């Protein structure tokens, strides 16, 4: 469905742009579609092929082809030494992977969900994030921690938390949150190639979503810069900043808002740490209004950080208070109706944007 | 599943008549540790059928894995052959569970929580430094023995002087290894420089052996400009890439799975080296110890785990730390060969680590060494251990069981050392140390920009900004900032 949304927007933008100027680079006219799952799988495959030091570890990544089939086919292709099925111990395999990274290889560790990463968080923070600093550059940790993050559908409190803010608060880590297949490929490749430890937050519900990908994206050398957000939709009335699945919701909200004459600019953060403060600020200086969207708990979240960044650097440009849309401040309930009310919906984003424009929301 | 009685002697008697186990036990030789031999008695689940000579199938492949049947996924054919040879009286029911064949018994017997005798401890030199008769050990040349002894004395002196420096307020913190010099130096001597060391924090002797200078130790403790750690860590958090000694971290037991990861990579790279990791009795309570031991057995990685069981984890005695018979017995629970060694016997330590290294590197197997010793000093300079243990107990271990004196006696007996050499060594080390401290104390501190580097591989823009702001603030308000920190 999102694919259709994309195509509609593409057609509209094509109509607006004079024929001399080329098509928006983000959506080239090549109609190839790729699911996030395939995007991640191909990125892993290509990086493992290009660098023999890259290896995968995690529960069920090998024989089972990955709990969510992200690592499908990789065991057969690269063998059990490079695709390691581990015993059930997040603390154990994370510690082991960090030790291997100290030695000089490049592990890509899969958490079945980032909720389980809490059992390994000491190794992520104290053994991975801080080590380059504590060893004053003697020990680098070129490791990637990846897996689904945030809410899925009907999985309850211990499988639904978003960890973006937790990891992004720690210096020494880089934290990425892809949205589209282009993001997934480019950012995962960048993460694997990066000498610093990277937390790569995927989304279970997006794995099956298809997005158009250009030939450039499909090339094995394709890579996106870490620390740069992307403007998914240009606008002038209000900035909506989001990451991961909420980018899709923000784009839908932008469509609804357009019918009411509000032209929203949607920013796909892509990188939570480092946060692309300059792009967000530049956008807010243009629109004067900001709505942040995240599925995570509100307190001490990504939205709060973005808000402070605006207050520190672009306060005079704001025409309205910053609106923060986040998940409900409760552990995720299981029942479908309750779950629906515990995460942001498109209507919440629309109403928030209208509030910043001092429009009635009824 | 199989059970057995609390009294293992019954089992021995039962088996003795049926399968001649005792005769096997007498025949079994040195590569099997004493504790693991004793524990053979408890192996009811994996009846040592494959180890009994009279049942050994010439095609059996189990011998290469040592005395215990090594159950791999596809070894059922070997075991099948053995089952045929089981005498009828024992039982005839065997079930093929995932992981191996298990013998049934109609008698309900619980596994004992502890052996009736503590697992034995390997020792070669007695308390007076005399070689125990019929001991087997790895011989040490005069050169190596004298080097070991000098390093032990250096470590002892280093600790004493730095401890005093902390008491004088010249450094903020220190941790001494008094009483554990043999563990430190003898283990280091048995390794090669390619073996990667993952320490806890009471093993500076390993660094010392490998060539870390007294000046380098002092620089780290004083956090000056020459400190390889750029003044970022507390004292005693040494590290050296070139000496293959990973930087000490304050977190307990986190280095244990790190060692496993590095060893796994060493194995893949086919290097002639292993990983070695040290930790105390307290560290074995951490989840990381358990996870790492399990992992290392499954991945068959070359790691030597050296546990310094010194009786105390700050104020927690081992009786409050665990209820197992120490650490070595746990190896078997994970499928790891283990040995208990007298940690104050430098020769025994050397032999054990030497043999362990050989097994680790050539057979790709992990080894767990429990070095039994005593923490003579306080946990650190922030501790006063007389508050929780008797002062005379500390004194007794310091004097009567001093590993340095014991080893000295042995090298003197061999005619390799004398009192003149002794006094010369001690005074030389002492003056070198005092000199190193003087230099380290007077040296400049690390510059302000070292605050911001190495957070990431490349310094990010926000940190560059902060650095600029900080320098401007310092320049504007110079009197508010220390004068000895270069900008």
């Amino acid at each position: 469905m999102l694919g259709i949304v994309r195509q509609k927007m593409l057609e509209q933008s094509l109509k607006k742009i004079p024929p001399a100027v080329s098509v928006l680079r983000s959506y080239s006219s090549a109609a190839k579609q790729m699911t996030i799952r395939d995007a991640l799988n191909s990125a892993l495959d290509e990086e493992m092929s290009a660098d023999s030091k890259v290896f995968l570890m995690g529960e069920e990544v090998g024989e089972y082809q990955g709990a969510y089939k992200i690592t499908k086919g990789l065991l057969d292709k690269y063998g059990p030494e490079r695709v390691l099925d581990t015993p059930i111990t997040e603390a154990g395999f994370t510690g082991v992977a960090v030790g291997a990274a100290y030695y000089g290889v490049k592990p890509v560790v899969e958490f079945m969900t980032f909720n389980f990463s809490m059992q390994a968080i000491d190794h992520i923070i104290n053994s991975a994030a801080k080590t380059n600093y504590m060893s004053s550059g003697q020990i680098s940790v070129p490791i990637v921690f990846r897996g689904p993050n945030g809410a899925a559908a009907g999985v309850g409190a211990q499988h639904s938390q978003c960890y973006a803010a937790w990891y992004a608060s720690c210096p020494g880590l880089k934290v990425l949150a892809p949205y589209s297949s282009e993001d997934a490929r480019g950012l995962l490749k960048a993460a694997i190639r990066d000498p610093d430890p990277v937390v790569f937050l995927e989304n279970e519900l997006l794995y099956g979503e298809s997005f158009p990908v250009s030939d450039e994206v499909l090339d094995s050398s394709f890579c996106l810069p870490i620390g740069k957000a992307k403007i998914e939709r240009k606008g002038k009335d209000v900035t909506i900043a989001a990451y991961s699945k909420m980018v899709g919701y923000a784009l839908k909200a932008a469509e609804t808002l357009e019918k009411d004459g509000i032209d929203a600019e949607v920013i796909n953060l892509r990188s939570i740490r480092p946060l692309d403060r300059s792009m967000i600020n530049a956008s807010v200086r243009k629109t004067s209004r900001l709505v942040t969207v995240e599925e995570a708990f509100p307190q001490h979240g990504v939205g709060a950080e973005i808000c402070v960044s605006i207050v520190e650097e672009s306060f005079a440009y704001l025409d309205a208070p910053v609106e923060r849309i986040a998940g409900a401040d409760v552990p995720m309930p299981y029942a479908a109706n309750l779950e629906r009310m515990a995460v942001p919906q498109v209507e919440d984003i629309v109403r928030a944007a209208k509030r910043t424009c001092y429009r009635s929301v009824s | 599943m199989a059970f057995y009685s609390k009294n293992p002697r019954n089992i021995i008697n039962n088996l003795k008549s049926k399968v001649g186990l005792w005769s096997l036990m007498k025949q079994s030789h040195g590569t099997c540790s004493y504790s693991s031999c004793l524990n053979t008695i408890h192996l009811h689940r994996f009846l040592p059928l494959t180890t009994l000579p009279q049942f050994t199938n010439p095609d059996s492949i189990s011998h290469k894995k040592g005395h215990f049947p090594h159950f791999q996924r596809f070894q059922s054919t070997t075991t099948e052959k053995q089952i045929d040879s089981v005498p009828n009286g024992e039982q005839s029911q065997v079930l093929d569970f995932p992981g191996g064949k298990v013998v049934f018994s109609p008698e309900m017997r619980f596994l004992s929580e502890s052996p009736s005798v503590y697992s034995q401890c390997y020792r070669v030199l007695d308390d007076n430094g005399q070689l125990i008769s019929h001991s087997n050990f790895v011989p040490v040349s005069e050169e190596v023995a004298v080097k070991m002894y000098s390093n032990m004395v250096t470590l002892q002196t280093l600790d004493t002087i730095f401890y005093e420096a902390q008491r004088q307020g010249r450094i903020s913190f220190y941790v001494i290894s008094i009483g554990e010099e043999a563990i430190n130096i003898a283990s280091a001597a048995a390794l090669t420089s390619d073996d990667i060391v993952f320490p806890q924090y009471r093993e500076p002797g390993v660094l010392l052996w490998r060539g870390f200078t007294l000046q380098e130790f002092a620089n780290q403790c004083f956090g000056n400009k020459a400190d390889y750690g750029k003044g970022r860590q507390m004292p005693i958090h040494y590290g050296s890439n070139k000496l293959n000694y990973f930087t000490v971290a304050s977190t307990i037991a986190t280095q244990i799975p790190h060692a496993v990861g590095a060893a796994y990579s060493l194995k893949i790279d086919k290097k002639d080296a292993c990983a070695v990791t040290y930790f105390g009795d307290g560290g074995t309570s951490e989840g990381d110890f358990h996870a790492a031991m399990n992992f290392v057995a499954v991945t068959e990685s070359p790691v030597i785990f050296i546990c310094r069981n010194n009786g105390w984890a700050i104020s927690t005695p081992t009786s409050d730390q665990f209820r197992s018979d120490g650490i070595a017995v746990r190896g078997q629970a994970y499928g790891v060969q283990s040995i208990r060694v007298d940690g104050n016997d430098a020769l025994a330590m050397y032999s054990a680590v030497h043999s362990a290294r050989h097994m680790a590197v050539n057979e790709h197997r992990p080894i767990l060494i429990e070095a039994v010793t005593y923490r003579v000093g306080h946990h650190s300079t922030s501790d006063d251990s007389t508050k929780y243990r008797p002062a005379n107990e500390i004194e007794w271990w310091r004097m009567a069981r001093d590993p340095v004196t014991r080893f000295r006696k042995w090298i003197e007996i061999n005619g390799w050392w004398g009192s003149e050499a002794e006094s010369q060594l001690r005074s030389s080390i002492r003056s070198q140390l005092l000199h190193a401290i003087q230099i380290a104390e007077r040296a400049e501190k690390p510059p302000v920009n070292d605050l911001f580097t190495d957070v990431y591989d490349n310094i990010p823009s926000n940190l560059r900004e902060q650095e600029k702001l900080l320098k401007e603030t310092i320049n504007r308000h110079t009197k508010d900032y220390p004068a000895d920190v270069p900008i």
Side-chain angles (χ1 to χ4, degrees), chain B residues 107-118:
Chain B
E107 210 182 315
M108 178 170 68
R109 291 190 217 122
F110 283 78
L111 286 171
S112 174
E113 79 276 14
S114 64
S116 57
V117 287
Y118 289 135

Side-chain angles (χ1 to χ4, degrees), chain A residues 297-315:
Chain A
F297 299 138
Q299 190 164 343
H300 306 302
V302 175
E305 179 63 31
I306 294 176
C307 180
V308 155
S309 175
I310 300 301
V311 164
E312 282 175 351
E313 296 181 43
S314 310
F315 181 68

Side-chain angles (χ1 to χ4, degrees), chain B residues 34 131-137:
Chain B
Y34 288 105
L131 214 51
I132 298 172
S133 54
H134 309 303
S135 54
N136 59 328
F137 63 97

